[in-house]
Amino acid sequence: MTTTREESSPVAAVVFDMDGVLTDTETIWDEVRRGLAAQDGVPWPEGATEAMMGMSTPEWAQFLASEVGISGDPAERTLEGMAARYQEHLPTLPGAVEAVQRLAARWPLALASSSARRLIDTSLATLGITDRFEVSVSTEEVARGKPAPDGFLRACELLGVEPARAVAIEDSSNGLRSASAAGLRVIAVPHEAFPPAADALALADVVVRNLDEITVDLVAGLAAGRERP
């Protein structure tokens, strides 16, 4: 009998984060937002960068307005700045495209990102991997951003896969918390510039140094259907 991808492994799907996992854009987000604060003559609060990682567009826009004091439309100002930077250069993390290609040959892939839809579509097209993802979800399209589980749950729903049989690949504290709360197995790829908090990193089933370490064997070895300890 021929088995499907889902039947042949306890892992049925893989869900990637984008910023900080595939694209090295966390620093750009920070630079653009800090630039807006500088333009408006307001100080950058301690911990603001980490607090916004994983938030949906409405959530971080509200944070920029209320906690930082950015004027006007913080979302539009930020997204305009990000789009301009992407047009100049979209930095990619080493091994990103290869990791996507490698895992897509074995499992259906989804993307669960906090980026706006227009930035997701632009990034995947620029990297030439749009067709490798069966679905993609922006946290603009769900009720809550990370660390809430909504984005990962929606990605699994669209794939038709139980979250317990999916594996997430994440880098940030809020991303790790989100994937874990959704019930996925979690591979952490900590970003050097913005390492996750110890409590968030402890939620990961596997911690790797780079995307090259995320092999088919590593993912297949995660018993995604078993009870968490």
Side-chain angles (χ1 to χ4, degrees):
M1 180 179 69
T2 301
T3 59
T4 65
R5 287 184 295 183
E6 185 163 333
E7 291 169 342
S8 63
S9 168
V11 175
V14 177
V15 186
F16 279 86
D17 176 44
M18 189 176 76
D19 296 282
V21 171
L22 300 179
T23 56
D24 196 9
T25 48
E26 294 289 12
T27 300
I28 298 177
W29 279 100
D30 195 45
E31 290 173 354
V32 168
R33 287 165 171 160
R34 286 174 183 265
L36 295 181
Q39 290 174 23
D40 290 355
V42 295
W44 189 254
E46 182 177 355
T49 298
E50 293 75 15
M52 284 185 286
M53 286 183 177
M55 285 185 180
S56 67
T57 302
E59 289 169 341
W60 59 251
Q62 176 60 33
F63 186 96
L64 286 176
S66 62
E67 302 299 325
V68 183
I70 301 299
S71 63
D73 185 339
E76 186 58 30
R77 292 179 67 190
T78 301
L79 293 176
E80 283 183 1
M82 292 298 296
R85 291 290 297 271
Y86 281 19
Q87 288 175 355
E88 295 173 7
H89 174 60
L90 178 61
T92 307
L93 282 159
V97 172
E98 293 82 1
V100 168
Q101 303 278 22
R102 187 164 58 243
L103 300 188
R106 177 69 179 272
W107 296 285
L109 303 186
L111 190 80
S113 173
S114 299
S115 274
R117 168 55 59 188
R118 57 174 153 166
L119 297 182
I120 291 174
D121 293 345
T122 296
S123 297
L124 295 183
T126 300
L127 297 179
I129 54 176
T130 301
D131 63 349
R132 294 300 182 180
F133 289 91
E134 297 195 10
V135 302
S136 63
V137 177
S138 166
T139 52
E140 291 181 331
E141 299 157 359
V142 294
R144 300 172 297 173
K146 302 171 185 178
D150 301 32
F152 283 103
L153 291 174
R154 179 59 176 159
C156 290
E157 179 185 7
L158 291 172
L159 286 175
V161 169
E162 289 294 323
R165 298 191 66 200
V167 173
I169 301 175
E170 267 287 0
D171 67 300
S172 69
S173 295
N174 283 343
L176 294 168
R177 293 174 181 131
S178 173
S180 179
L184 284 73
R185 289 287 159 184
V186 186
I187 298 176
V189 193
H191 194 286
E192 290 184 3
F194 304 104
D199 68 298
L201 193 61
L203 298 172
D205 295 275
V206 177
V207 180
V208 299
R209 293 168 297 178
N210 54 61
L211 292 168
D212 291 336
E213 294 185 16
I214 304 179
T215 63
V216 168
D217 286 345
L218 176 71
V219 175
L222 292 174
R226 74 173 187 264
E227 290 282 331
R228 283 186 180 274

